Amino acid sequence: MAKVMTTRPKVVKLPPIAEKGRLNLIASDGRLGLLANPKSVPRTFQEDRRSVYWVDRLPPTAGPHGTTEIRYVRRTTSDTEAIASARVQELSKHRTPNQHGWRGDRPTPIWGVSEGAQKVDAGPRLVSLSQHKEPHPQYLFDRTAYMTMPLIQVNEGAKKANPSERLDVLSKPRDRRDRDKFGVITLETSWGQYNPVLPAAKTAQCTPHVEALAEPKKYHPRFAGEKPVQWDVNESALKAIANLRLQQLSRPRSRTMIKDDYDPYRVTLAARRAHATPRIDELCVPIPRKVRPKKVA
């Protein structure tokens, strides 16, 4: 007699049903209830800016004691929390003036001077510093006709001296006819005028070669100058009639004449079977001086 095996049915417990007819997964125990819970938002989470004018922190304002306190406001709550340390708070305060003898700027450029300051006697050091700077003892000023300083006065001997003959020659202006520049005497007179041409130079005759060189260069016999802006057209050109071949070449190619199977990149059979001439083979060979042999390792 065969033995029949029976299996016990598995019972699945479902979460309780809420009042609205939905399963309450949050209240259920186990892994499914944990996964059903929504993800919590961290405390440092910041929402997206509602506008480009949304600021992260409020501008600093003066506190009750007249000092600026560095604080920030969270976007999620309205509570404030100080983020500056005691050192930062100390550095953020304005600098106080020195309390020992410091005084502010004078309100006006005119102020009273005490009697002691008016009757005080300057010391030797102060007197030496108040003197202007003097030039060097050996410094000589520029000489002028109106200066009467002892250093530039002309002595009596210089006033009554007689110049020598050499000094008289050097004091005279140089004649322009005596100028000799690079061994060539100029033809200018003392007044800047050129000397007249010699009679021999006027009656001289040049050689035939000099006359040939003096002639201007002639144009080529077939040289044609530039055409004017307006010129006359001859009668034959006005009444000329183009022949048939010229009319065919001047007419643009019609698109209806183009074949449908035309391939511009197709190479003809004649071009495939063509052989280069010996001259083309010679021109294809590279120049020997520009050929670099390969190095054998």
Side-chain angles (χ1 to χ4, degrees):
M1 184 175 180
K3 189 176 181 181
V4 179
M5 298 180 62
T6 59
T7 58
R8 189 175 181 181
K10 188 176 181 180
V11 180
V12 179
K13 294 183 179 180
L14 296 177
I17 300 176
E19 297 179 356
K20 296 183 180 181
R22 297 181 180 179
L23 298 178
N24 189 3
L25 300 179
I26 300 177
S28 60
D29 300 334
R31 178 63 177 170
L32 186 60
L34 180 63
L35 295 176
N37 294 328
K39 186 177 181 181
S40 60
V41 180
R43 299 183 58 185
T44 58
F45 173 75
Q46 296 182 359
E47 298 180 0
D48 296 336
R49 295 189 176 186
R50 303 177 184 176
S51 172
V52 293
Y53 303 103
W54 189 267
V55 294
D56 295 334
R57 298 177 181 177
L58 295 177
T61 57
H65 303 289
T67 58
T68 303
E69 298 181 358
I70 303 177
R71 296 177 178 273
Y72 77 96
V73 178
R74 291 182 179 179
R75 295 180 181 176
T76 55
T77 61
S78 59
D79 298 335
T80 58
E81 181 181 356
I83 60 174
S85 59
R87 179 59 178 169
V88 175
Q89 291 285 353
E90 182 181 357
L91 294 175
S92 63
K93 297 179 181 180
H94 61 83
R95 185 177 180 181
T96 57
N98 186 13
Q99 302 297 335
H100 303 283
W102 181 85
R103 295 181 181 179
D105 297 335
R106 292 189 178 99
T108 174
I110 302 175
W111 63 90
V113 183
S114 61
E115 295 293 336
Q118 295 179 6
K119 299 178 181 180
V120 69
D121 296 333
R125 177 60 177 170
L126 187 60
V127 173
S128 62
L129 293 175
S130 62
Q131 298 292 335
H132 61 83
K133 186 177 181 181
E134 297 181 358
H136 194 269
Q138 299 181 358
Y139 175 76
L140 299 178
F141 294 91
D142 296 336
R143 293 186 178 184
T144 62
Y146 305 98
M147 296 183 68
T148 58
M149 295 181 62
L151 297 177
I152 62 174
Q153 289 182 354
V154 183
N155 53 16
E156 296 295 333
K159 292 179 181 180
K160 300 178 180 179
N162 296 324
S164 60
E165 296 181 359
R166 178 60 179 168
L167 190 59
D168 291 340
V169 174
L170 294 176
S171 62
K172 292 180 181 180
R174 189 175 182 181
D175 193 357
R176 301 192 66 177
R177 291 177 297 181
D178 297 339
R179 293 184 179 181
D180 187 358
K181 188 177 182 180
F182 303 110
V184 179
I185 300 176
T186 59
L187 300 178
E188 296 179 358
T189 61
S190 58
W191 297 99
Q193 301 174 356
Y194 289 94
N195 293 328
V197 183
L198 299 177
K202 295 180 180 180
T203 58
Q205 296 180 358
C206 59
T207 60
H209 185 61
V210 175
E211 291 182 356
L213 294 176
E215 293 180 358
K217 187 177 181 181
K218 298 180 181 180
Y219 293 103
H220 194 271
R222 297 183 180 180
F223 172 76
E226 298 180 358
K227 287 186 176 182
V229 180
Q230 297 179 358
W231 64 87
D232 298 334
V233 183
N234 51 15
E235 294 293 336
S236 59
L238 292 173
K239 299 179 181 180
I241 300 176
N243 53 14
L244 181 60
R245 180 57 180 169
L246 188 59
Q247 293 179 8
Q248 292 178 356
L249 294 176
S250 63
R251 184 181 303 171
R253 188 172 183 181
S254 178
R255 298 183 63 88
T256 57
M257 300 176 59
I258 301 177
K259 297 180 180 180
D260 297 338
D261 57 346
Y262 174 73
D263 187 7
Y265 301 100
R266 186 178 60 182
V267 183
T268 60
L269 295 177
R272 297 177 186 176
R273 300 173 182 175
H275 296 280
T277 59
R279 177 57 179 169
I280 296 179
D281 294 339
E282 181 182 356
L283 295 175
C284 292
V285 177
I287 302 176
R289 61 184 176 85
K290 292 187 177 182
V291 176
R292 180 179 299 177
K294 295 183 180 180
K295 296 181 180 180
V296 180

